[in-house]
Amino acid sequence: MTTENPSLIKLEGVTKVFLTDEVETHALSGIHMDIRKGEYVSIAGPSGCGKSTLLSILGLLDTPTDGTYILNGRPVQGLTLPERARIRNREIGFIFQSFNLIGDLTVYENVELPLTYRGMPASERKTRVTEALEKVGMGHRAKHLPSQLSGGQQQRVAVARALAGSPAVLLADEPTGNLDSKNGDAVMELLHSLHRAGSTIVMVTHDTRFARHAERTIHVFDGRVVEEQVEAGSAH
Amino acid sequence: MHADLRFALRSLLKSPGFTAVAVLSLALGIGANTTVFSLVNEVLLKSLPVREPGQLVLFSWAAPERIGPQSINGWTQRDAATGETICTSLSLHTFEQLRTSSSALLSDVFAFAPLDRVNVVLDGNAEVVTTGQIVSGNYHAALGVPMLAGRSILPTDDQPNAPPVVVISAGYWQRKFAGDPAAIGRTLAVNGVIAEIVGVTAPQFTGTLQIGEVQDLTLPLALYSRLSPDDTDATQPWCWWIRIMGRLQPGITRAQAHAGLAGVFKESIKDGLNAGEPAAGSVTPEVAKAANLDKVRFVVNPGGQGLTEARRSYTQSIQILTALVVLVLLVACANVANLLLARGAARVREITVRLALGASRARLLRQLLTESVLLAFLGAAAGLVFAWWGRAALLVLQPLGRSANMLELPLDWRVLGFTTAVAIATGILFGLAPAWRATRLDLAAGFAGGTRTLGGERSRLARILMVVQIALSLVLLVGAGLFTRTLRNLQQLDAGFNRSQLVLFSVDGVAGGHKRAELAALHTRFADRIAALPGVSAVTFSQVPVLSGSSWTSNAVVQGHVPAKGENTNVVMNGVHPGFFSAYQLPLIIGRGFTARDDAAAPKVAIVNQAFARKYFGDASPIGRRFGTGEDKNAGDWEIVGVVRDAKYTRLREEPRPAAFRPYAQLQNAWGGHFAVRVTGDAGTYASMLRGLLRDIDPNLPLANLRTQEEQIARGLSSERMFARLSSFFGLLALLLASIGLYGLLSYSVLRRTGEIGLRMALGAVPGHVLWMIVRESLLLASFGVVLGLGSAWALSRLVASRLYGLSASDPGTYAGVGLILVAVAIISSLLPARRASRVDPMVALRAE
Ligand SMILES: Nc1ncnc2c1ncn2[C@@H]1O[C@H](COP(=O)(O)OP(=O)(O)O)[C@@H](O)[C@H]1O
Ligand SMILES: [Mg+2]
């Protein structure tokens, strides 16, 4: 697999140690990883192996205990909190297992949220939000509250929220974990089409069916990458 | 029920922090209300502690303004509705007539009146007892006054030649005789009359006069001419001064008594009326008096409380106090309701399980209400302790001024009943909504996982309660601001003279055995001796003390001035020693001051103030013009020799009004001896020096009421001070409760919204965004509260407008200031929760299950 795409995410020797009640948990032990622009990578592994921890480091929600992380050609260790918040806001789109929509904001306002933190003018926000909602097929539900939507619809809104800011990478942590298989399929289909349209996606899942959508699957076991598998069929 | 109670107690004990805060808030609210209610009880509700007070009636009369007897000694009040003068003072003649012709309707008719000045010598020591009364011989028996020792006054004591006797109060017995039974049979010299002590009244009986006036000495009416020898008019039919009460015969109503006695009353006052308003043209005084007779209404009032003019005059003060403490109680209720809501939210699991196990909602409601009523009762119990202290604190603040400082505020059955009722009402008031809310659970949602969203459901009820609590605090604080600024305005008011470093005292020469005609010389002798004391720079005396609340007013008749119909010709009068203006530093504008040569033999002169000069002479010089008081023929009595600057004379609140001063030595009926001594250095150090000097000059003449002019003025501001202190205290307390409540609400909200906040940070919110989000929430609540509170305060402040001075009830500065304070407090209360929110780890977004 050779591609001229530049490297978007580069991890070198990343470790993460949690210290709770004098007990050290080695959640990640020396991860090396290179993800290029436009790739669709899935991370697989048993529960507790460190997938979420890895994703949180990729998403700058957490910092590695050791090792280097270069995002878009720029090392991100040692950045200040506001700088990290700014990168999360512009470069990263999150999709969570439990959707994480805010209950007393409308669909529109939920999608708009990251854009307001960017200080974007209202008119531009409107175009972006409408566009993102159209993309996920939820344009007609802009005024609804999340509680008025089904789980699958909520997750599509969450995808729209992640998309709206045109981030460099979409990070999804078991996006279908709370959905039935029909809704799960639909969300996967959506991610797949986004990938085809050019989005870089890193998705955590243990459902091998969905892992096959990705071009590459990274298997993690006990905090280490144990195997990389390339889906020949999916490659462009 | 029993089980409910036991469970409620256990559940309260399980969360001691919550219980403590709730009980403390309630104790404060209920305690304050109990305290004020004990005042309401004492002043407005309580009956005389005598036999069947419901049978007692009090006679009085009402008449259009200016119609009545020539002389009234006692309270007169204006009925706001009819404009009539209402008064309980009557003549001895009317008493005799009612007594002799009422036996079919009344089992007893009795009379009483305060003795204005009482000078007592006991064991050779002179003292002024300001409280004494004379009563008809049947007074004690007719009322059924309980006696502590000895006997009461009897009809046989009330005979012209009966040996003089005196009945003393329980308090006087304790103070002067330490409760020694041997006091009975000893003698007191009362205004020079040697009287034997025959009895002591029970402590709960404080007489039938105005509230708070405990009459230490009670003497028979027949002694009056010997006790007050200078009051030669007392037996005249036009001199109305005695109060008359009766006891209804069984089965007779007040209306029947009124119908049966109105004719007797009318006949009895026939010779006692004045001519009223100078009538037009040809009407003779006789015709005018006859016409006036029909205008005087006979009134038979309930007498179970004795005289009630003073009681009624405190109604507005008590209403304001009541409003204050009701607000405090509401604040406490809102506070506790909010605590209960948060607790209910924490108990969702417990309640869900109970509902699932088959408890009916009504059953659960009952359980939760039992808990809140139990909480209220704990609060009421602690509140009674607060009330116990609160009464002492309230009495220090002199809720009814100094005249009523003998009040006791017993926590009797009526007060306890009130407290119990308040406890039940508050328990339901603050408990119902949270209980309703807590039991309105969706069982299915409670157990099913469902798809949850972030942010948690925000309790609208909690927010409304918070807004109400902020609004209530604001109302209290606006009250505090208005009253405090009123007090300060009055304290800093320019009285028109230099009020600092003046020592005041009074002597009562007449009660001390001197003739009225001798008073000027006697007082001048004192003044001269005092002037020689070291540190004394000036000394003077006057008929009426300055800024004491008491005044002497007359209708002025001024030569060359024809009053318009209905014109107010009232002037404030005073008789003053020549040194008065210089001692008070009241500057003379034109003319001359008084000198020692302006004595009884010299031409009669007067000095007026600027307001007087302006009113009657405009820009012309008043010097050399003449005026008098009373009837037109007196207009040439006194020549104006000077004009002094306007000042406050009776009370600080008065507007500048015409005043006239006359030389004390030229007064025909001098009585007052109110001295003012201007000193250097600390005014407090002169007391013993002055006492010693006076004792040297005349050992029978005690010095009374020693105080500084500042103290004198401060006494007149006691209700302003009370309102300012209480509203500030309660306002700050309410503010504290509100800020604690706000802090709790926001902390709880941050806790429930942790996931949402983490998500927002994951999406790129910086800590500043989150900080502002929480502060903004607090500000939003505060602004709703401020708007609601400002509106309510504005509406309520109309009720206290008449109590304010130097600012309007809608004073924008006060409202804005208080609003800003609340906004500031809202920000401060939100800072800690906001900071906690801004430190939420964005990781929780990923980890939230
Ligand atoms: N904040 C934390 N503190 C302590 N241990 C943690 C923390 N987060 C994760 N872990 C531990 O790190 C390991 C990896 O967790 P996680 O990344 O959530 O696994 P996965 O998402 O693959 O199921 C687990 O053993 C987990 O208990
Ligand atoms: Mg995980």
Side-chain angles (χ1 to χ4, degrees), chain B residues 678-750:
Chain B
R678 188 167 289 286
V679 299
T680 56
D682 180 9
T685 59
Y686 288 84
S688 61
M689 212 189 325
L690 287 170
R691 264 184 221 286
L693 180 71
L694 248 74
R695 198 161 37 236
D696 282 356
I697 305 174
D698 186 344
N700 281 328
L701 208 57
L703 173 159
N705 213 357
L706 191 75
R707 76 279 190 201
T708 65
Q709 181 72 56
E710 297 279 15
E711 284 165 355
Q712 167 87 71
I713 292 172
R715 283 177 198 177
L717 297 176
S718 67
S719 78
E720 284 85 357
R721 200 166 26 250
M722 171 178 71
F723 291 137
R725 298 237 169 107
L726 286 182
S727 57
S728 301
F729 175 72
F730 289 136
L732 291 177
L733 213 67
L735 186 65
L736 184 72
L737 285 179
S739 83
I740 293 175
L742 203 49
Y743 168 82
L745 186 79
L746 293 171
S747 300
Y748 188 57
S749 156
V750 166

Side-chain angles (χ1 to χ4, degrees), chain B residues 398-423:
Chain B
Q398 299 179 346
L400 311 181
R402 272 176 64 82
S403 65
N405 56 3
M406 313 295 244
L407 280 181
E408 286 182 39
L409 303 174
L411 296 180
D412 60 13
W413 60 266
R414 208 187 270 132
V415 177
L416 291 178
F418 167 83
T419 306
T420 311
V422 166

Side-chain angles (χ1 to χ4, degrees), chain B residues 245-561:
Chain B
M245 284 177 62
R247 184 178 284 284
L248 295 170
Q249 292 279 16
I252 301 293
T253 64
R254 271 196 298 126
Q256 287 168 322
H258 180 272
L261 295 173
V264 179
F265 172 78
K266 190 167 178 179
E267 186 62 27
S268 78
I269 64 167
K270 188 166 92 232
D271 298 326
L273 293 186
N274 61 14
E277 182 120 12
S282 59
V283 179
T284 64
E286 282 64 37
V287 175
K289 284 182 189 179
N292 286 349
L293 189 55
D294 289 327
K295 294 181 185 157
V296 179
R297 283 196 300 123
F298 179 55
V299 180
V300 183
N301 279 324
Q305 295 187 309
L307 299 186
T308 56
E309 291 96 330
R311 291 171 195 271
R312 279 202 300 273
S313 72
Y314 300 129
T315 311
Q316 200 203 10
S317 288
I318 290 179
Q319 280 170 348
I320 294 175
L321 281 177
T322 307
L324 277 180
V325 294
V326 166
L327 283 172
V328 170
L329 186 61
L330 290 178
V331 167
C333 282
N335 195 45
V336 175
N338 234 339
L339 287 173
L340 280 174
L341 272 181
R343 199 168 119 90
R347 288 170 77 184
V348 165
R349 269 209 82 71
E350 174 201 330
I351 289 164
T352 315
V353 170
R354 284 160 157 271
L355 283 170
L357 292 181
S360 72
R361 183 167 183 206
R363 177 78 188 64
L364 265 182
L365 268 178
R366 201 178 80 191
Q367 170 64 46
L368 292 176
L369 277 183
T370 306
E371 224 171 286
S372 60
V373 172
L374 177 68
L375 206 55
F377 269 97
L378 292 178
L384 279 178
V385 177
F386 283 177
W388 190 265
W389 298 325
R391 291 177 318 153
L394 186 60
L395 289 179
V396 168
L397 290 175
Q398 299 179 346
L400 311 181
R402 272 176 64 82
S403 65
N405 56 3
M406 313 295 244
L407 280 181
E408 286 182 39
L409 303 174
L411 296 180
D412 60 13
W413 60 266
R414 208 187 270 132
V415 177
L416 291 178
F418 167 83
T419 306
T420 311
V422 166
I424 294 174
T426 51
I428 292 171
L429 178 68
F430 68 69
L432 197 57
W436 190 259
R437 178 80 185 68
T439 53
R440 198 197 60 194
L441 284 174
D442 184 347
L443 277 184
F447 283 111
T451 51
R452 271 163 288 151
T453 53
L454 290 176
E457 179 187 0
R458 293 182 217 178
S459 164
R460 176 124 40 92
L461 188 56
R463 265 144 230 279
I464 291 172
L465 282 169
M466 197 63 240
V467 165
V468 167
Q469 203 183 337
I470 290 171
L472 290 168
S473 315
L474 185 126
V475 172
L476 281 168
L477 284 173
V478 165
L482 293 176
F483 285 128
T484 305
R485 291 187 57 189
T486 292
L487 180 63
R488 215 191 41 209
N489 288 345
L490 285 168
Q491 281 169 338
Q492 295 176 347
L493 191 68
D494 180 9
F497 59 86
N498 178 0
R499 63 204 219 183
S500 63
Q501 298 200 296
L502 277 174
V503 179
L504 311 183
F505 66 88
S506 312
V507 294
D508 192 336
V510 174
H514 296 271
K515 296 264 178 300
R516 282 185 164 185
E518 301 167 4
L519 291 183
L522 178 77
H523 294 159
T524 305
R525 214 157 54 237
F526 287 166
D528 292 344
R529 290 284 296 275
I530 293 167
L533 286 175
V536 170
S537 61
V539 58
T540 189
F541 58 86
S542 57
Q543 171 91 325
V544 181
V546 175
L547 287 182
S548 62
S550 57
S551 65
W552 164 24
T553 60
S554 282
N555 286 323
V557 282
V558 180
Q559 265 187 6
H561 178 83

Side-chain angles (χ1 to χ4, degrees), chain A residues 18 52-53 55-56 61-62 81-82 85 88-89 94 96 98-105 113-114 116-117 146-147 151 154 161 173, chain B residues 451-456 458 753 755-756 758-767 769-770 773 841-849:
Chain A
F18 292 110
S52 291
T53 307
L55 207 68
S56 71
L61 294 175
D62 211 349
L81 277 178
R88 280 200 299 271
N89 183 266
F94 288 102
F96 305 94
S98 47
F99 324 147
N100 281 357
L101 296 181
I102 296 175
D104 49 10
L105 299 185
L113 199 56
T116 52
Y117 290 134
S147 56
Q154 287 193 38
R161 180 175 64 190
D173 192 357
Chain B
T451 51
R452 271 163 288 151
T453 53
L454 290 176
R458 293 182 217 178
R753 293 173 68 184
E756 175 201 332
L759 170 82
R760 286 169 178 271
M761 299 189 74
L763 295 183
V766 292
H769 284 129
V770 173
M773 184 173 83
D841 189 342
M843 278 292 294
V844 300
L846 208 58
R847 300 276 177 210
E849 286 301 309

Side-chain angles (χ1 to χ4, degrees), chain B residues 568-693:
Chain B
N568 184 358
T569 55
N570 222 258
V571 290
V572 193
M573 304 285 298
N574 205 347
V576 302
H577 166 257
F580 184 80
F581 301 108
S582 59
Y584 271 97
Q585 299 180 3
L586 265 168
L588 211 61
I589 308 290
I590 43 170
R592 67 171 178 91
F594 295 139
T595 72
R597 284 185 304 280
D598 295 314
D599 60 11
K604 303 289 184 282
V605 293
I607 291 175
V608 297
N609 70 348
Q610 292 168 295
F612 188 108
R614 217 168 23 246
K615 173 170 164 58
Y616 290 105
F617 311 112
D619 292 334
S621 169
I623 306 295
R625 305 287 294 266
R626 305 186 80 85
F627 74 103
T629 55
E631 300 180 42
D632 286 342
K633 64 180 195 306
N634 302 336
D637 280 0
W638 313 314
E639 180 188 338
I640 299 172
V641 296
V643 177
V644 286
R645 198 169 78 185
D646 287 341
K648 310 281 181 183
Y649 307 107
T650 311
R651 45 182 64 88
L652 286 173
R653 285 168 178 269
E654 74 195 14
E655 293 302 315
R657 55 175 181 159
F661 300 88
R662 298 180 50 214
Y664 190 93
Q666 293 186 348
L667 298 181
Q668 267 160 4
N669 55 347
W671 71 84
H674 300 284
F675 283 77
V677 184
R678 188 167 289 286
V679 299
T680 56
D682 180 9
T685 59
Y686 288 84
S688 61
M689 212 189 325
L690 287 170
R691 264 184 221 286
L693 180 71

